[in-house]
Amino acid sequence: MIAIDWTALLMGAAAGFVLSALFFVGLAFGMRQALRRDSPVVLLAVSAVIRIAALLGVGWVVLWQGGTWAFLGYALAFLLTRIIATTFVRIGLPARGAS
């Protein structure tokens, strides 16, 4: 039987939820700004590089500090946050402050 380190898994998931939420908030903000510009490619590229680097960088720290179970929690939290974010977009819930 596999021994699951629940503490590490939950710590990784907590970090994953926070970083994933920031990732998708940054994506939404970057898309709104890009849609207002004539040439959005540079803004989208810089935004993507910053968001991906932050997500992967913290993922490596979680792996080094917490181990495999913490990293698994981190990855699962990202996937769950992604499902939640894409569901909100699909059903068309307006963002706060959107007109």
Side-chain angles (χ1 to χ4, degrees):
M1 183 175 226
I2 297 173
I4 298 173
D5 186 355
W6 291 103
T7 304
L9 188 75
L10 292 175
M11 294 285 280
F17 279 122
V18 170
L19 257 300
S20 299
L22 291 174
F23 180 88
F24 288 110
V25 166
L27 175 61
F29 180 74
M31 288 302 298
R32 284 179 188 240
Q33 295 302 316
L35 291 173
R36 293 182 181 142
R37 296 186 179 214
D38 291 332
S39 58
V41 176
V42 173
L43 177 67
L44 290 174
V46 170
S47 173
V49 167
I50 291 170
R51 287 181 293 106
I52 292 168
L55 194 70
L56 291 176
V58 172
W60 278 109
V61 170
V62 167
L63 179 62
W64 287 335
Q65 296 294 317
T68 305
W69 287 108
F71 186 72
L72 181 62
Y74 184 80
L76 289 174
F78 177 80
L79 290 176
L80 183 60
T81 305
R82 181 188 178 278
I83 291 168
I84 292 167
T86 55
T87 300
F88 282 153
V89 170
R90 280 192 191 121
I91 62 175
L93 290 178
R96 259 200 245 170
S99 48

